[in-house]
Amino acid sequence: MKTPFKFKFPDILLVLLMLFSGICLGFSSGSFVINFSRIGFSIVSSVEKVFFSVTDAVKDTFGAVKELSELKKDYDELTKKLENYQQMQRSNAEIRKENAQLKEQLGFSESIGQKNFPAQIISRDIDKLYASLTIDKGSAEGINKNMPVIAYQNGNIGLVGKIIEVGKYTSKIMPVYSLDCTISARIQNTRDLGLVTGMGNDDEPLSMQYIKKRVLNDLHFGDVIVTSGENGNYMRDVPLGTISKIRVLDYDSSLDIELVPIIDFSRLETVIVIDQNQSNYYRKR
């Protein structure tokens, strides 16, 4: 039988001495130092790379926030400028529209045969019993009581009412829709005579009475009602309204007729007061 292989102490010592010698040789040649330096450099480089990456990301974030804030500021300024521009455009449009209306009214005023006074409505009394309009012209400009008042609106001439009260610089108009207003009028196409009265409010129709039932077949919706010119209160043939409803009442020999006013009083801004006793000739010279 063979005996098992055994390490003897001198052999183990020899191996240890050889390992130690090899390690010492490695240190003495600098190979281990160089490897440790490389390892340390790699670690430090990685840490620096991560640090600078994080720093750049933070800088980019703060830069983006600052840029976003500046963009929002620029946006707000542009929005404000746009709003100012749009408001200026609306103002210019309103001024052009007002100038066109005034020019149109001035041209119409100069074409009227009688002396007249263009005026602006400055207040309204909407009380149903005593409805009135106040204008910015009075006795100082030549306005007198009972002068008729007309308007030129959307290419149409219409009766507004008459002067019932005169101050030095303002006057009050009783409009055609007032309960106190009664006007002698005719149906334009048939020339039948009747009386037109108001209902007390500018958004309600006018009422025409005393038109005989016999003319019913001659009437049509949209027929124009004009002033008769009788009694000297108003000029002749000034439009008042158009027929919107006709009722036949069994107990009455006359028709009950409703009219839509020619003038849209809710949009009326300017009027023309007429002096029927003076010619407009001197103004055209």
Side-chain angles (χ1 to χ4, degrees):
M1 293 179 63
K2 291 183 179 180
T3 57
F5 179 79
K6 294 182 179 180
F7 285 104
K8 295 181 179 180
F9 178 75
D11 296 332
I12 295 173
L13 182 60
L14 178 61
V15 172
L16 291 175
L17 286 173
M18 291 177 66
L19 289 173
F20 179 75
S21 297
I23 292 170
C24 290
L25 182 61
F27 275 113
S28 63
S29 64
S31 61
F32 283 110
V33 174
I34 292 172
N35 291 337
F36 285 142
S37 298
R38 287 178 179 176
I39 293 170
F41 177 75
S42 298
I43 294 172
V44 172
S45 298
S46 299
V47 172
E48 288 180 346
K49 184 176 181 180
V50 172
F51 175 77
F52 283 113
S53 297
V54 172
T55 303
D56 289 341
V58 172
K59 286 182 179 179
D60 291 342
T61 301
F62 278 107
V65 171
K66 183 179 179 182
E67 185 177 357
L68 182 62
S69 177
E70 291 176 351
L71 286 173
K72 186 177 184 305
K73 183 179 179 181
D74 293 341
Y75 173 79
D76 291 339
E77 290 178 355
L78 288 173
T79 300
K80 186 175 181 180
K81 288 180 180 179
L82 180 61
E83 289 176 352
N84 291 337
Y85 175 76
Q86 290 174 339
Q87 184 176 0
M88 184 174 64
Q89 287 291 96
R90 286 193 295 270
S91 298
N92 290 338
E94 290 173 359
I95 290 172
R96 287 194 297 270
K97 183 178 179 180
E98 183 177 349
N99 287 340
Q101 291 175 343
L102 291 174
K103 184 178 179 180
E104 184 180 44
Q105 178 167 287
L106 180 61
F108 174 70
S109 172
E110 291 177 348
S111 69
I112 298 175
Q114 293 85 18
K115 183 179 179 181
N116 58 82
F117 311 90
Q120 190 88 15
I121 296 174
I122 57 175
S123 69
R124 302 167 189 259
D125 188 347
I126 58 175
D127 186 289
K128 189 163 185 175
L129 294 177
Y130 304 102
S132 65
L133 306 171
T134 302
I135 58 174
D136 61 351
K137 296 287 177 66
S139 60
E141 287 81 13
I143 304 293
N144 293 313
K145 190 175 180 180
N146 292 323
M147 283 185 173
V149 183
I150 63 173
Y152 188 69
Q153 187 183 63
N154 300 325
N156 297 315
I157 304 168
L159 185 68
V160 175
K162 70 176 180 179
I163 300 295
I164 57 171
E165 187 177 325
V166 180
K168 189 170 184 179
Y169 300 110
T170 61
S171 300
K172 188 171 289 188
I173 301 170
M174 178 177 64
V176 295
Y177 59 81
S178 172
L179 287 173
D180 293 332
C181 186
T182 301
I183 304 166
S184 177
R186 292 183 182 276
I187 299 173
Q188 190 176 55
N189 62 335
T190 67
R191 308 309 294 176
D192 288 282
L193 183 66
L195 290 179
V196 173
T197 58
M199 298 287 193
N201 200 313
D202 63 357
D203 61 0
E204 293 184 13
L206 304 177
S207 174
M208 188 172 194
Q209 304 290 333
Y210 306 111
I211 299 297
K212 301 300 182 181
K213 289 181 178 180
R214 57 181 171 79
V215 301
L216 177 61
N217 293 333
D218 298 326
L219 303 182
H220 305 88
F221 295 121
D223 283 351
V224 178
I225 310 303
V226 297
T227 55
S228 69
E230 297 182 3
N231 303 323
N233 288 330
Y234 300 97
M235 303 90 71
R236 183 185 177 93
D237 289 330
V238 178
L240 275 163
T242 58
I243 295 177
S244 60
K245 185 181 292 186
I246 302 173
R247 284 192 292 264
V248 180
L249 304 176
D250 294 335
Y251 57 84
D252 197 335
S253 61
S254 299
L255 299 172
D256 183 16
I257 301 174
E258 288 187 2
L259 314 176
V260 175
I262 291 291
I263 298 298
D264 183 352
F265 286 91
S266 65
R267 296 183 177 182
L268 185 63
E269 299 178 52
T270 56
V271 299
I272 301 173
V273 183
I274 306 295
D275 184 349
Q276 299 185 87
N277 299 320
Q278 292 194 47
S279 170
N280 197 25
Y281 175 71
Y282 78 96
R283 297 180 62 184
K284 302 178 182 179
R285 296 183 61 179

